[in-house]
């Protein structure tokens, strides 16, 4: 990777991603392996007028040691200072950038129960901060950076250097950094996404029906006042546009948690907590998962589903065309940030409250009443195939074809 590419990516994260404004405080969370990108981003942020940039470092090996040696009791406790730090971020109206560069297998061999305890504890303790980001009260973005272990996992037959170069090439392609003018390409891409959102929002859809040859036959009801979002979103408190995920291809909303019926089959493996869940599926009745199966990684899937009551329901419906640049790379990234943009997906667990009119200001109870799900989990799983059809039924009883042969009709 060249210095120029690194600087272009940093610029994309700062301008298109969090869309940093003069005088703002930027917090970057990143693994130490991403130090080159972090340095380029910090520099770019100051050049764009950041008042202060703070970096929260993490490291796979150090995390693993914690999971290995700490007791379950210790993992169930989140220190006050971490909770207070997030409160401080909220008070300071920070913008938040996460850089993902972790080894997808970093936590392999760790007792899944310990992981689940720690996930639940931090989910609970940091819920307020999480709610702030997921309802766009904090502008936030996620980017990625190659890491040796991640590159080896994706390209096991290449030399370490070749694998790193290839992964960087793939990341650049997926965030359109291989084009002449990436910022302009992003603006065009976001316009396309916005147009699809508008069609779906104007159509007043009551439900979607999914069908494919894997056996998926699922009806997903939509809540009244749903909003399909995608591409750039607006900060809930300041109205300033930002792009939460780089890359992003999806058009997404939240389903009515109580009106999902039928069976859905996965089309890509799910990588969660360093474990692979493969060939799996769910059966829903009145929104609730009543059965689930997996040829590989069943215990891990079970841990996700059984986190809390809300993890038995869907919180996200996302549409991605089969011909997305990421799917066309024809590889699994072992990271949701990329893999979710290769395929139509759903998420088990929490909704994004801004996907319903007025949702950003509603309490969890009010959201639940609207049919919007709440949970400590939010796990995307991919279900799109080359033969997927999605047909919408509108509130007026009309039919609208949305997907044919795995891809957008409009
Ligand atoms: Zn998604
Ligand atoms: Zn999601």
């Amino acid at each position: 990777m060249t210095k120029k590419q690194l600087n272009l990516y940093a610029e994309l994260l700062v301008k298109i991603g969090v869309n940093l404004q003069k005088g703002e405080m930027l917090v970057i969370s990143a693994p130490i392996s991403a130090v080159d990108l972090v340095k380029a981003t910090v520099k770019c942020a100051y050049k764009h007028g950041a008042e202060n940039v703070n970096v929260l470092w993490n490291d796979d090996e150090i995390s693993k040691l914690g999971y290995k040696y700490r007791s379950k009791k210790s993992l169930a406790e989140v220190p006050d200072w971490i909770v207070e730090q997030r409160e401080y971020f909220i008070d300071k109206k920070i913008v938040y950038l996460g850089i993902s560069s972790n080894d997808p297998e970093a936590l392999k061999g760790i007792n899944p129960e310990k992981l689940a305890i720690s996930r639940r504890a931090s989910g609970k303790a940091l819920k307020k901060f999480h709610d702030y980001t997921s309802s766009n009260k904090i502008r936030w973005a996620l980017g990625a950076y190659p890491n040796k272990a991640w590159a080896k996992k994706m390209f096991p037959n290449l030399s370490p250097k070749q694998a790193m170069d290839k992964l960087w090439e793939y990341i650049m392609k997926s965030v359109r950094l291989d084009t002449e003018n990436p910022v302009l390409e992003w603006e065009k891409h976001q316009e396309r996404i916005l147009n699809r959102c508008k069609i779906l929002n104007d159509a007043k859809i009551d439900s979607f029906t999914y069908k494919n040859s894997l056996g998926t036959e699922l009806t997903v009801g939509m809540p009244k006042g749903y909003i399909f979002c995608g591409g750039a979103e607006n900060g809930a408190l300041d109205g300033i546009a930002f792009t939460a995920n780089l890359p992003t291809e999806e058009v997404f909303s939240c389903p009515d948690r109580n009106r999902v019926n039928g069976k859905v089959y996965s089309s890509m493996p799910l990588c969660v907590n360093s474990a692979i869940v493969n060939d799996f599926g769910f059966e829903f009745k009145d929104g609730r998962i009543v059965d689930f199966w997996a040829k590989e990684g069943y215990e891990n899937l079970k841990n996700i589903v059984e986190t809390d009551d809300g993890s038995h329901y869907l919180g996200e419906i996302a549409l991605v065309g089969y011909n997305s640049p990421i799917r066309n790379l024809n590889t699994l990234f072992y990271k949701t940030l990329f893999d979710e943009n290769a395929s139509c997906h759903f998420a088990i667990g929490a909704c994004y409250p801004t996907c319903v009119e007025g949702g950003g200001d509603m309490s969890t109870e009010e959201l639940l009443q609207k049919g919007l799900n709440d949970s400590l989990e939010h796990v995307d799983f991919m279900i799109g195939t080359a033969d997927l059809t999605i047909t919408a039924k509108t509130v007026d009883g009309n039919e609208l074809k949305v997907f044919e042969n795995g891809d957008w009709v409009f």
Side-chain angles (χ1 to χ4, degrees):
M1 73 197 63
T2 65
K3 215 165 174 105
K4 192 178 161 209
Q5 291 169 334
L6 212 56
N7 289 336
L8 270 173
Y9 193 19
E11 193 181 334
L12 211 58
L13 293 171
V14 170
K15 280 169 78 171
I16 298 283
V18 294
N19 192 4
L20 182 93
Q21 307 290 302
K22 251 196 159 85
E24 285 184 326
M25 184 194 279
L26 173 67
V27 174
I28 303 174
S29 165
I32 53 178
S33 54
V35 64
D36 289 347
L37 179 61
V38 172
K39 283 182 187 171
T41 308
V42 171
K43 196 169 167 191
C44 180
Y46 280 126
K47 279 189 173 165
H48 279 88
E51 190 262 322
N52 189 358
V53 185
N54 286 280
V55 185
L56 309 176
W57 294 106
N58 61 67
D59 178 68
D60 285 337
E61 264 180 74
I62 293 173
S63 307
K64 189 169 184 171
L65 288 168
Y67 287 120
K68 188 172 171 194
Y69 288 105
R70 289 175 65 191
S71 65
K72 288 180 193 164
K73 185 172 170 283
S74 159
L75 287 168
E77 280 163 22
V78 177
D80 287 346
W81 68 266
I82 291 184
V83 180
E84 283 157 16
Q85 182 192 52
R86 303 293 157 132
E87 291 282 344
Y88 175 82
F89 290 161
I90 291 171
D91 283 352
K92 286 284 173 189
K93 299 191 172 65
I94 62 138
V95 290
Y96 182 83
L97 175 66
I99 292 173
S100 158
S101 171
N102 306 71
D103 173 4
E105 291 193 351
L107 302 178
K108 213 174 179 171
I110 296 293
N111 176 353
E113 201 196 333
K114 275 187 156 180
L115 288 177
I117 288 170
S118 166
R119 259 169 90 92
R120 270 168 226 175
S122 67
K124 248 187 204 158
L126 307 180
K127 189 165 190 315
K128 186 171 170 193
F129 186 76
H130 175 80
D131 288 350
Y132 259 67
T133 49
S134 71
S135 58
N136 297 344
K137 286 178 183 149
I138 286 174
R139 300 201 309 283
W140 59 282
L142 292 177
Y145 192 73
N147 162 304
K148 274 187 196 141
W150 178 20
K152 187 171 187 282
K153 172 92 185 162
M154 277 182 69
F155 309 106
N157 298 323
L158 298 183
S159 75
K161 162 130 188 13
Q162 284 171 328
M164 281 288 275
D165 287 348
K166 189 106 189 143
L167 176 52
W168 180 235
E169 181 196 324
Y170 275 28
I171 292 175
M172 286 203 308
K173 275 193 178 147
S174 66
V175 296
R176 296 174 160 77
L177 270 179
D178 60 336
T179 55
E180 277 289 303
N181 187 340
V183 173
L184 187 76
E185 281 304 316
W186 268 89
E187 283 164 2
K188 278 199 268 178
H189 173 53
Q190 284 173 325
E191 179 127 356
R192 257 191 317 265
I193 293 182
L194 227 62
N195 182 48
R196 286 172 175 150
C197 292
K198 188 173 163 14
I199 293 175
L200 293 172
N201 291 335
D202 289 348
K204 304 263 175 295
I205 290 163
D206 176 69
S207 65
F208 291 97
T209 300
Y210 288 66
K211 269 185 199 161
N212 70 13
S213 58
L214 286 178
T216 294
E217 228 182 305
L218 189 76
T219 304
V220 180
M222 295 300 292
K224 273 208 186 86
Y226 70 80
I227 302 171
F228 271 93
C229 310
E233 300 175 70
N234 286 334
L237 300 180
D238 52 24
I240 296 168
F242 70 102
T243 305
N245 288 355
L246 291 105
T248 187
E249 300 290 330
E250 62 174 353
V251 161
F252 66 98
S253 188
C254 6
D256 183 333
R257 79 193 282 265
N258 301 311
R259 290 201 301 134
V260 180
N261 284 290
K263 283 184 183 173
V264 65
Y265 289 81
S266 70
S267 62
M268 282 167 72
L270 168 67
C271 182
V272 67
N273 293 338
S274 293
I276 296 281
V277 185
N278 208 353
D279 276 327
F280 61 98
F282 304 95
E283 184 176 355
F284 293 86
K285 193 165 186 301
D286 297 329
R288 194 174 171 88
I289 295 173
V290 289
D291 191 18
F292 59 95
W293 53 90
K295 283 198 183 138
E296 187 187 345
Y298 178 81
E299 280 304 311
N300 288 282
L301 190 62
K302 190 166 181 270
N303 266 323
I304 296 166
V305 173
E306 293 182 350
T307 298
D308 52 24
D309 190 58
S311 54
H312 291 77
Y313 295 84
L314 292 184
E316 178 189 347
I317 170 172
L319 304 172
V320 181
Y322 197 70
N323 272 312
S324 87
I326 296 172
R327 215 218 60 87
N328 286 339
L329 291 171
N330 230 337
T331 188
L332 191 66
F333 278 83
Y334 302 96
K335 275 192 197 298
T336 304
L337 176 63
F338 292 87
D339 295 329
E340 72 160 339
N341 284 303
S343 169
C344 279
H345 56 273
F346 295 108
I348 294 176
C351 72
Y352 288 103
T354 48
C355 289
V356 70
E357 279 166 23
D361 298 320
M362 288 182 198
S363 66
T364 305
E365 289 70 35
E366 287 171 311
L367 286 167
L368 276 170
Q369 269 188 356
K370 278 238 153 206
L372 269 69
N373 198 30
D374 181 51
S375 169
L376 296 175
E377 285 291 1
H378 178 98
V379 176
D380 294 277
F381 61 96
M382 299 3 126
I383 57 107
T385 53
D387 68 346
L388 179 68
T389 61
I390 307 174
T391 313
K393 202 181 87 197
T394 67
V395 175
D396 308 330
N398 294 321
E399 220 176 59
L400 172 72
K401 277 201 162 39
V402 184
F403 266 60
E404 237 167 18
N405 298 322
D407 225 318
W408 287 98
V409 171
F410 41 81

